[in-house]
Amino acid sequence: MKKFKVILYTVIFIIMMILNSILLIIENFTILTTEYVMLCSKEDREYIQKISHTNYDFKIAMVEEKGFINPYSDAEIVINDILPYPSTFGERKVIENNPENIKNNISLYIEEHSNKPLVFVVCLAPYTIFYLLITLIYVKLCKT
């Protein structure tokens, strides 16, 4: 019976770690491939809302440059309806289009206040904490 419990706990542990790893890789890839990412303070959020004339609740703003021959960029916000912590998962709303990559107010503001290292720490911390908790629970369960 104890052997069955250990096998069951191990299978559950492996499944949870694989799912968490997939989410971690997607989050990491999104942050790495985005040119400018900003974790918004209350003042930043109010400034962006005022200029873009929106009332969305968001914690992350980003500027993505697209296109090779005809480059253009979009300023986007990530609406956090799904998770209680800042994340790049969620609905993205384009709040400023910049044809021919000529940046306007919001894009320039995000570029100037970009804090990609802080976004990495804040967005990836929940996955690290989840890894540690699941590992601790797994070790405790397997010992009993």
Side-chain angles (χ1 to χ4, degrees):
M1 185 67 171
K2 181 170 169 80
K3 190 175 184 178
F4 175 74
K5 280 184 176 179
V6 171
I7 292 171
L8 179 67
Y9 295 150
T10 304
V11 168
I12 293 170
F13 175 76
I14 290 170
I15 290 170
M16 291 180 84
M17 288 302 184
I18 289 171
L19 291 174
N20 194 37
S21 296
I22 291 168
L23 294 174
L24 179 69
I25 289 168
I26 292 170
E27 185 93 48
N28 211 350
F29 183 75
T30 302
I31 295 169
L32 280 174
T33 58
T34 304
E35 281 72 27
Y36 302 101
V37 183
M38 177 178 148
L39 186 65
C40 298
S41 66
K42 184 179 177 184
E43 294 80 23
D44 296 329
R45 196 168 34 251
E46 288 172 355
Y47 178 78
I48 292 172
Q49 285 173 338
K50 185 175 87 174
I51 291 179
S52 65
H53 307 293
T54 61
N55 262 348
Y56 297 113
D57 182 30
F58 61 94
K59 296 176 182 129
I60 294 182
M62 55 182 64
V63 174
E64 286 197 76
E65 295 181 7
K66 302 173 184 172
F68 182 68
I69 296 173
N70 297 318
Y72 66 97
S73 63
D74 292 334
E76 299 176 340
I77 55 173
V78 180
I79 301 171
N80 259 359
D81 292 338
I82 301 168
L83 302 170
Y85 54 86
S87 172
T88 59
F89 295 118
E91 184 182 354
R92 290 186 183 193
K93 290 282 185 183
V94 175
I95 54 174
E96 182 179 83
N97 291 320
N98 300 310
E100 299 176 14
N101 210 17
I102 300 171
K103 306 243 181 350
N104 290 319
N105 292 339
I106 297 173
S107 295
L108 291 173
Y109 184 81
I110 294 171
E111 283 185 26
E112 290 172 6
H113 295 88
S114 178
N115 49 8
K116 196 181 261 193
L118 180 63
V119 173
F120 262 114
V121 171
V122 171
C123 288
L124 301 181
Y127 301 102
T128 306
I129 293 168
F130 184 75
Y131 268 127
L132 294 173
L133 285 174
I134 294 300
T135 304
L136 288 173
I137 293 169
Y138 173 72
V139 169
K140 292 270 186 193
L141 288 174
C142 285
K143 281 186 178 180
T144 59

